């Protein structure tokens, strides 16, 4: 009987520790997401990325810390000057996504983020990289949508890529605009769901709204 009670007690303590760790993880992530929303400069995004990376090192079974670290680095890349400096941020972001996929498996959001970082790398030197990177970026977004056809972030990022391609070749924006409108519908659909994960990606609707307005 004593052995049975001791086993229950140990299990209970283990469960309480697990819950405490989960709670600390969620709170740490929420704090950095708030910092992310306030970041504006490459340095501030780098600082947020570093914090997410530290959380990821302590929670290697979670893919979201590396996802958001890569997102922050990609934002830093788009806001910094110089091809070499931009590439450094985009490469770090891609490496983090590759590590997250290696540790936790592939999913639509991780693949879309990989595509976003690749799109940034292309945008750093469109004349020199457009021809050999456009197909890779589009196929990466296509892969993200193959995992989840209702991922609004993968759709709006693909729409942006389609828009850039149309401008480069001097073709009409109809296809890109149609995808932007579709992504806006997917964002509205996503908002109607109750997601049990408070840390799940939700960003991107403002991009879809802005692009849809430009298409009118």
């Amino acid at each position: 009987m004593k052995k049975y009670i001791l086993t229950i007690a140990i299990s209970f303590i283990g469960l309480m520790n697990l819950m405490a760790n989960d709670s600390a993880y969620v709170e740490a992530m929420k704090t950095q997401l708030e910092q992310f929303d306030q970041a504006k400069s490459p340095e501030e995004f780098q600082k947020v990325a570093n914090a997410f990376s530290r959380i990821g090192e302590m929670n290697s079974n979670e893919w979201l810390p590396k996802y958001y670290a890569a997102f922050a680095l990609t934002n830093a890349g788009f806001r910094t000057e110089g091809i070499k400096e931009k590439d450094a941020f985009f490469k770090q972001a891609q490496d983090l996504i590759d590590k997250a996929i290696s540790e936790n498996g592939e999913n639509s959001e991780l693949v879309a983020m990989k595509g976003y970082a690749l799109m940034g790398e292309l945008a750093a030197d469109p004349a020199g990289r457009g021809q050999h990177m456009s197909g890779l970026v589009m196929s990466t977004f296509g892969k993200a949508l193959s995992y989840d056809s209702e991922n609004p972030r993968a759709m709006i990022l693909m729409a942006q890529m389609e828009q850039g391609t149309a401008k480069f070749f001097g073709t009409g924006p109809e296809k890109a605009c149609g995808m932007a409108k579709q992504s806006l519908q997917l964002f509205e659909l996503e908002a109607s769901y109750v997601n049990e994960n408070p840390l799940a990606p939700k960003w991107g609707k403002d991009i879809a709204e802005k692009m849809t307005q430009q298409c009118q």
Side-chain angles (χ1 to χ4, degrees):
M1 185 64 181
K2 287 182 179 178
K3 184 178 180 180
Y4 180 67
I5 292 173
L6 180 61
T7 300
I8 292 176
I10 291 173
S11 299
F12 180 74
I13 291 171
L15 178 61
M16 292 302 291
N17 286 336
L18 185 62
M19 291 175 65
N21 290 338
D22 284 349
S23 178
Y25 162 72
V26 171
E27 289 307 311
M29 288 290 288
K30 284 182 176 178
T31 297
Q32 291 311 314
L33 286 172
E34 291 174 1
Q35 295 296 312
F36 186 105
D37 289 339
Q38 296 173 18
K40 290 182 172 53
S41 68
E43 294 76 16
E44 289 170 335
F45 278 111
Q46 176 72 73
K47 185 177 179 181
V48 173
N50 292 343
F52 276 124
S53 292
R54 287 193 293 273
I55 296 173
E57 290 171 3
M58 292 185 288
N59 299 271
S60 60
N61 59 322
E62 302 284 352
W63 60 271
L64 281 168
K66 293 182 182 67
Y67 170 87
Y68 284 118
F71 189 25
L73 289 166
T74 301
N75 272 274
F78 276 111
R79 286 166 174 77
T80 198
E81 298 294 330
I83 295 175
K84 183 179 178 181
E85 290 77 8
K86 286 176 176 289
D87 281 352
F89 283 120
F90 295 133
K91 179 66 166 57
Q92 286 183 69
Q94 292 167 37
D95 288 346
L96 276 170
I97 293 299
D98 288 343
K99 188 173 183 181
I101 290 174
S102 174
E103 292 176 347
N104 309 106
E106 215 165 43
N107 64 50
S108 181
E109 297 289 0
L110 283 172
V111 176
M113 186 56 66
K114 178 74 176 285
Y116 193 26
L118 287 168
M119 188 168 74
E121 185 180 338
L122 187 161
D125 182 12
R129 297 171 176 171
Q131 188 170 6
H132 71 272
M133 285 195 69
S134 294
L136 172 62
V137 176
M138 290 299 280
S139 66
T140 304
F141 290 139
K143 187 177 184 181
L145 287 168
S146 74
Y147 278 115
D148 180 4
S149 61
E150 296 182 349
N151 183 340
R153 282 158 292 281
M155 184 62 73
I156 189 57
L157 290 171
M158 182 180 254
Q160 285 189 314
M161 186 65 198
E162 187 66 40
Q163 183 184 48
T165 303
K167 285 181 179 177
F168 185 80
F169 288 106
T171 56
E174 294 79 9
K175 186 176 180 181
C177 288
M179 295 172 73
K181 291 177 183 176
Q182 188 177 351
S183 74
L184 197 54
Q185 293 170 350
L186 292 176
F187 276 112
E188 291 168 356
L189 180 65
E190 182 180 69
S192 69
Y193 293 153
V194 177
N195 195 325
E196 295 181 355
N197 186 349
L199 306 174
K202 296 181 177 68
W203 63 274
K205 186 178 180 181
D206 56 330
I207 302 172
E209 289 175 335
K210 184 177 180 180
M211 189 170 170
T212 303
Q213 289 172 0
Q214 291 172 344
C215 289
Q216 293 176 346

